[in-house]
Amino acid sequence: EAQVTQNPRYLITVTGKKLTVTCSQNMNHEYMSWYRQDPGLGLRQIYYSMNVEVTDKGDVPEGYKVSRKEKRNFPLILESPSPNQTSLYFCASSSLGLAGGSNTGELFFGEGSRLTVL
Amino acid sequence: RKEVEQDPGPFNVPEGATVAFNCTYSNSASQSFFWYRQDCRKEPKLLMSVYSSGNEDGRFTAQLNRASQYISLLIRDSKLSDSATYLCVVNPRRAGSYQLTFGKGTKLSVIP
């Protein structure tokens, strides 16, 4: 089954304790991205990756790191979490359909990771 | 002007009604447009892409007005199962640089 898998789905942690949210996709997609969703603010992009070893900042990258060593995995790292990083996080991937310059636009999302930082 | 703006709603409509949502975008160079649906506490899922000539998928019709920089979604014969938040999504940059911008969503509740 084609899917994007995030772990953990729920996490409560304390300020300053490093954590990693894993994201894996089995669709051989080039593009992967992380978003956070907060009430009243909608979905905001944290980081994205167009391919292996290529990552770029989104709109709200502060306090986060990512890596893309393999095509299927795109972990999100919070080196020193703070309470303002309490949020619902979504990983997403897409094939983009880049051949010929077009893109399909369909993002496939993971089920989300609800993170609480105390 | 915000990059992508939507009326947050909520829109409360009876079953069978027709409802329309609009979304405006600020970057006139935006290349691609989509509507996503998000159920409560679930991940967003693609509802439909929006093409320049307008497109229809069953009860759903999407339209793009480049001159006025807005897209719309029309839902006919609303069903209870249409209750969700509808997200307007815009790719504000040229193809090859894929940084989608999401609107905050419009909440729809279809009432029996």
Side-chain angles (χ1 to χ4, degrees):
Chain A
E1 182 191 351
Q3 58 186 6
V4 179
T5 304
Q6 296 179 225
N7 279 296
R9 295 285 316 283
Y10 302 92
L11 180 64
I12 300 174
T13 189
V14 296
T15 299
K17 186 175 180 184
K18 180 180 178 180
L19 69 92
T20 299
V21 187
T22 63
C23 175
S24 180
Q25 50 96 1
N26 62 2
M27 295 170 278
N28 202 37
H29 286 166
E30 291 87 1
Y31 179 87
M32 296 186 76
S33 182
W34 276 102
Y35 297 86
R36 60 178 290 174
Q37 187 171 37
D38 303 287
L41 296 177
L43 274 163
R44 294 179 292 167
Q45 191 175 46
I46 303 171
Y47 269 94
Y48 66 99
S49 169
M50 298 293 287
N51 214 324
V52 175
E53 300 293 1
V54 180
T55 63
D56 217 337
K57 295 178 181 177
D59 298 314
V60 289
E62 296 78 18
Y64 304 95
K65 284 173 60 176
V66 293
S67 67
R68 187 91 184 273
K69 296 191 173 86
E70 306 163 281
K71 199 171 189 179
R72 63 182 290 125
N73 295 323
F74 191 45
L76 179 70
I77 303 155
L78 286 73
E79 293 271 5
S80 183
S82 61
N84 65 12
Q85 292 178 297
T86 292
S87 187
L88 176 59
Y89 291 87
F90 288 104
C91 179
S93 73
S94 175
S95 65
L96 298 185
L98 289 173
S102 64
N103 70 67
T104 65
E106 181 165 12
L107 277 176
F108 292 85
F109 284 83
E111 292 182 298
S113 296
R114 188 167 291 280
L115 171 65
T116 301
V117 184
L118 301 174
Chain B
R1 184 180 186 181
K2 292 180 184 168
E3 205 155 359
V4 178
E5 280 197 86
Q6 295 182 248
D7 183 339
F11 284 60
N12 299 315
V13 303
E15 269 187 292
T18 295
V19 61
F21 309 135
N22 282 339
C23 165
T24 59
Y25 60 94
S26 61
N27 187 338
S28 59
S30 296
Q31 294 295 311
S32 43
F33 311 88
F34 314 93
W35 284 102
Y36 277 71
R37 170 193 169 127
Q38 186 174 24
D39 294 303
C40 189
R41 297 198 181 109
K42 299 280 192 180
E43 71 274 24
K45 292 184 180 177
L46 179 68
L47 177 67
M48 57 196 305
S49 301
V50 186
Y51 302 119
S52 297
S53 54
N55 48 300
E56 191 173 301
D57 182 2
R59 297 181 293 108
F60 299 84
T61 301
Q63 294 200 309
L64 167 63
N65 184 319
R66 284 194 184 271
S68 301
Q69 293 179 214
Y70 77 82
I71 67 173
S72 64
L73 177 67
L74 181 79
I75 305 175
R76 289 181 299 278
D77 188 23
S78 299
K79 312 288 184 196
L80 295 176
S81 57
D82 293 334
S83 297
T85 296
Y86 291 84
L87 306 173
C88 169
V89 185
V90 175
N91 181 7
R93 292 175 176 80
R94 301 183 66 80
S97 175
Y98 199 67
Q99 193 166 349
L100 297 180
T101 300
F102 285 75
K104 294 179 184 178
T106 298
K107 186 172 181 181
L108 171 66
S109 293
V110 181
I111 304 160

